C-alpha cells in the first residue's frame, strides 16, 4: 500500500508489508497448480496442422538445478523452494535464462533470477535476485519475466503484484532495460492504470527464433489477454519502452469451446504469426492451444489448434528446434528447470 496521494508504482516498498506477504506465501497451496504438468499442455494431438509448433519432448541434457539460496536484499529472510516460468535468449555463445523463484510453487512473494549456460554448464548469477521488490506495487512479488532483444539492447517485462487500499490483489506489467543482460534499469509501468484497470497480464510481443522483437505492420505489438476490464487490448510501440494501447479483438475460441485465460507467447516465423495461449476447455479444464495469423493481418485469425507450449517467456530456437523451459514438473522443493524441444515441426 502506497502513502496517500502517491502512485504505488512510484512509492518505496514497506518492509513490514513484505514480511506479511512472505508469511502468506509460505502457506500457499492450490490443488490445481500443485499438480500442473508441462506434458498435459504439449502433448501430441491427431491431425496437427503444419503451422503448429510442437509437440515437445524433454531434453535432459539442458536441465538447470538451483542448489543455493540467494542473499535477500530486502532483509526479511526470504527463501525459495520452486523455480518456473522462465524466458530464454541467446547472446553470442551463451544461453541466458531469467526465471521466477517463489517460496512455494505458483505462490506470490516471487523474485526473478538469472542463469547463464556456457560450454555446457549452467552458472547461477551471484547477483541474484536481479529483480526484487523495491516499489509498493511489487509488495506481493515480481513474477514471470519476458525478455526481448531490440536495437542492440534488451527489454524485460515482468508482473508486479500488490494489494490495493480495498484489499484486492492487483497486477501491473513493469519493464526494465539492459545493454548486457546482467545490469538492469527499472523503467516502471509498461501498461498505464487507465488501460489495465489495476490488472493486466501478457506483455506478449511477437519475437523471432533468436528472441528479437519483430515489427508487425511497422510497429512492435503487445497482446494483453487477462484483465483490462475484460477488454482485448493491443499495444503499439516504436522502441518496446513507450506504448499506446487500443481495444482490438484478436482471438476466437469458438472452434475449441471454453474461455481464454492468458496468451503465453507469440512466434514470428517466416509467413506465420503463431499465438500460443492458455485457456479453459469445454469442461473447464486447463488447456493450451495455438492460433495462426499472417503478419500482414495480425488480428484476423486463420486457424486454431489444440496443444501448445505455454512458454510464458517465449519460444526460442536452440539449433534447429523450437525450445522452452519450465519447472512445473520438478519434485516438491527441488528447484529444477527442465527444457523441452519441438519434435513435430520442420525448420522453416
Amino acid at each position: 500500500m502506497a502513502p496517500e496521494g502517491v502512485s504505488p508504482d512510484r512509492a518505496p516498498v514497506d518492509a513490514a508489508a513484505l514480511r506479511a506477504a512472505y508469511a502468506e506465501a509460505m502457506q500457499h497451496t492450490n490443488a490445481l497448480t500443485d499438480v500442473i504438468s508441462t506434458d498435459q499442455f504439449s502433448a501430441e494431438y491427431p491431425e496437427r496442422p503444419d503451422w503448429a509448433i510442437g509437440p515437445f519432448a524433454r531434453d535432459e541434457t539442458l536441465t538447470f538445478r538451483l542448489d543455493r539460496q540467494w542473499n535477500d536484499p530486502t532483509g526479511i529472510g526470504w527463501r525459495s523452494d520452486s523455480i518456473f516460468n522462465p524466458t530464454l535468449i541467446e547472446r553470442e555463445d551463451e544461453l541466458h535464462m531469467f526465471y521466477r523463484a517463489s517460496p512455494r510453487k505458483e505462490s506470490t512473494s516471487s523474485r526473478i533470477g538469472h542463469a547463464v549456460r556456457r560450454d555446457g554448464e549452467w552458472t547461477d548469477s551471484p547477483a541474484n535476485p536481479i529483480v526484487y521488490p523495491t516499489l509498493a506495487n511489487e509488495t506481493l512479488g515480481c513474477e514471470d519475466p519476458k525478455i526481448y532483444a531490440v536495437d542492440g539492447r534488451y527489454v524485460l517485462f515482468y508482473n508486479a503484484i500488490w494489494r490495493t487500499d480495498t484489499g484486492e490483489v492487483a497486477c501491473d506489467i513493469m519493464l526494465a532495460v539492459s545493454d548486457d543482460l546482467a545490469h538492469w534499469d527499472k523503467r516502471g509501468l509498461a501498461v498505464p492504470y487507465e488501460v489495465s484497470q489495476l490488472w493486466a497480464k501478457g506483455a506478449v510481443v511477437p519475437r523471432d527464433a533468436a528472441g528479437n522483437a519483430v515489427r508487425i505492420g511497422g510497429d512492435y505489438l503487445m497482446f494483453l489477454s487477462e484483465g483490462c476490464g475484460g477488454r482485448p487490448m493491443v499495444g503499439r510501440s516504436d522502441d518496446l519502452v513507450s506504448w499506446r494501447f487500443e481495444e482490438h479483438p484478436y482471438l476466437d475460441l469458438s472452434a475449441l469451446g471454453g474461455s481464454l485465460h492468458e496468451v503465453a507467447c507469440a512466434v514470428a516465423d517466416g509467413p506465420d504469426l503463431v499465438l500460443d495461449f492458455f485457456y479453459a476447455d469445454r469442461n473447464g479444464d486447463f488447456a493450451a492451444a495455438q492460433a495462426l495469423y499472417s503478419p500482414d493481418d495480425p488480428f484476423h485469425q486463420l486457424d486454431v489448434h489444440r496443444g501448445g507450449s505455454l512458454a510464458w517467456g517465449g519460444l526460442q530456437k536452440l539449433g534447429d528446434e523450437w525450445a522452452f523451459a519450465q519447472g512445473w514438473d520438478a519434485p516438491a522443493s527441488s528447484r529444477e528447470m527442465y527444457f523441452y524441444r519441438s519434435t513435430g515441426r520442420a525448420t522453416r
Side-chain angles (χ1 to χ4, degrees), residues 14-36:
D14 177 75
L18 276 181
R19 290 190 187 93
Y22 177 55
E24 180 181 349
M26 290 293 289
Q27 305 304 313
H28 174 82
T29 186
N30 183 299
L32 290 175
T33 59
D34 283 351
V35 298
I36 200 169

Side-chain angles (χ1 to χ4, degrees), residues 251-282:
L251 192 57
D252 180 5
L253 269 63
S254 57
L256 297 174
S259 58
L260 179 67
H261 285 313
E262 185 179 351
V263 173
C265 61
V267 174
D269 185 26
D272 297 342
L273 174 63
V274 178
L275 295 190
D276 188 297
F277 61 91
F278 178 42
Y279 75 107
D281 66 14
R282 288 187 174 93

